[in-house]
Amino acid sequence: MKNERRGKEFYVLAAFFALFVLFLYGPLSAVLILSYQGPEGGLTFPLNGVSLHWFYNLFEKQAVGDFGASFRRSFTLGLMVMVVNVAVALLAGLAFRHRFRGSTVLFYTTVASLVVPSIIISLGIGVVFQQFGLKPAWYSSGFGAHLTWTLPFGVLIMFAVFNRFSPAYEEAARDLGATSWQTFRHVVLPMIAPSLIGVGLFGFTLSYDEFARTLMTSGTYNTLPLEIYGMTTNVTTPVLYALGTVTTLFSFTIILVALAIILVLRRRQARIG
C-alpha cells in the first residue's frame, strides 16, 4: 500500500496551527514560569530564584487591589449568568421548534447584540441606569450587560441542537403513554443534557472574563478582569503572574469538571440504551 504524499496545503495548515498554538500558549507559559519568581524577582526574565512566594502573597492583603473580593464577584456573576443562560436558551430552543408569529423578528433581535460593539452596549446600559436614578452594580446592570453577550450564543447553540433532534423519540414516548412532561423529563432532557452543560460552561466562561461590557456597568466594585486591568499600572511584582496562573488553572478545572459530567451522562445513556 503506497503512502499518500502530503500536499503543500497540509504544511501550510500545519504551520498556521503551530503559530496559533504559539500565540495561544506562549504568553500563558511565560506567565506560568514568571509566577514562580523568587522573593526578589521582577516582571521579566531571567528568574531570580524559584519559589511560591508570590502565590502566598496573592492571598495576603494587597497595598493595591482586592483579589479575593473581585474573584468572588466574578464567580458569583458567572454562576448567575450560567443559570439564566441555560434556562432561557433551553426555553428558546423548545419554543422555536414550532413556527409562531414574530419568531423571525425575535430571533434577529436576540442575536443583534453580537454585532454591536461591546463598549457601546456597556455605555448604553450604564446611561439608562443613571437616567432612571439607579446605581449601576455588577449584580444588576453588569448582570444584564453580560446576558446581552452570553444569551445569543446559548440560544444559537440550542437551535443547532434541536435542529438535529429527531421528534421520533418523543413520538415513541407518547405512543407508550408518556405525558408531555414525562417525555421531556425522561427522553428529551437526558439527550440534550451534555449540550446544556456546554451552554452553561460557555456562558460562565464568557461572563467570568468579560471586560468591555463590565467597564461601564460594574458600579463601585470591580470584577476580576477590571481589577487586574486596574492593577497593571500600579502593581510591579509577579503577584499578577501568580494571579494569572491561579485563574488559568481554575478555568481548566471548570472545563475538566464539565467534561467529566458529560462523560458520566453519556455512559449512563449508553447503559440505558
Side-chain angles (χ1 to χ4, degrees), residues 76-256:
T76 303
L77 182 57
L79 291 178
M80 292 166 56
V81 170
M82 179 183 70
V83 171
V84 175
N85 209 47
V86 169
V88 175
L90 174 60
L91 294 175
L94 292 171
F96 275 84
R97 296 181 72 188
H98 309 282
R99 283 286 183 180
F100 58 89
R101 183 177 298 178
S103 60
T104 302
V105 175
L106 182 59
F107 169 77
Y108 284 109
T109 302
T110 302
V111 301
S113 65
L114 296 180
V115 299
V116 179
S118 296
I119 192 66
I120 300 299
I121 296 289
S122 176
L123 178 62
I125 293 176
V127 169
V128 169
F129 265 70
Q130 292 176 1
Q131 289 297 318
F132 281 95
L134 301 174
K135 189 176 180 181
W138 62 270
Y139 53 81
S140 56
S141 55
F143 175 59
H146 283 207
L147 286 177
T148 64
W149 180 235
T150 61
L151 273 180
F153 287 107
V155 170
L156 290 174
I157 292 172
M158 292 312 301
F159 282 0
V161 170
F162 280 114
N163 281 338
R164 296 180 297 171
F165 189 85
S166 174
Y169 298 107
E170 296 166 278
E171 294 170 1
R174 294 192 186 97
D175 290 341
L176 293 174
T179 63
S180 297
W181 169 248
Q182 290 173 329
T183 300
F184 173 76
R185 170 67 180 81
H186 298 288
V187 178
V188 178
L189 189 58
M191 297 182 70
I192 66 172
S195 299
L196 287 177
I197 294 173
V199 169
L201 179 62
F202 198 34
F204 178 87
T205 304
L206 289 176
S207 172
Y208 180 73
D209 65 359
E210 178 58 26
F211 176 83
R213 301 196 185 211
T214 318
L215 187 59
M216 304 291 183
T217 59
S218 64
T220 306
Y221 300 101
N222 287 337
T223 59
L224 187 58
L226 294 180
E227 195 75 13
I228 293 174
Y229 177 77
M231 294 178 65
T232 54
T233 58
N234 299 307
V235 177
T236 57
T237 64
V239 68
L240 273 177
Y241 296 146
L243 176 62
T245 299
V246 170
T247 54
T248 300
L249 292 176
F250 171 76
S251 300
F252 278 113
T253 301
I254 294 294
I255 294 173
L256 291 176

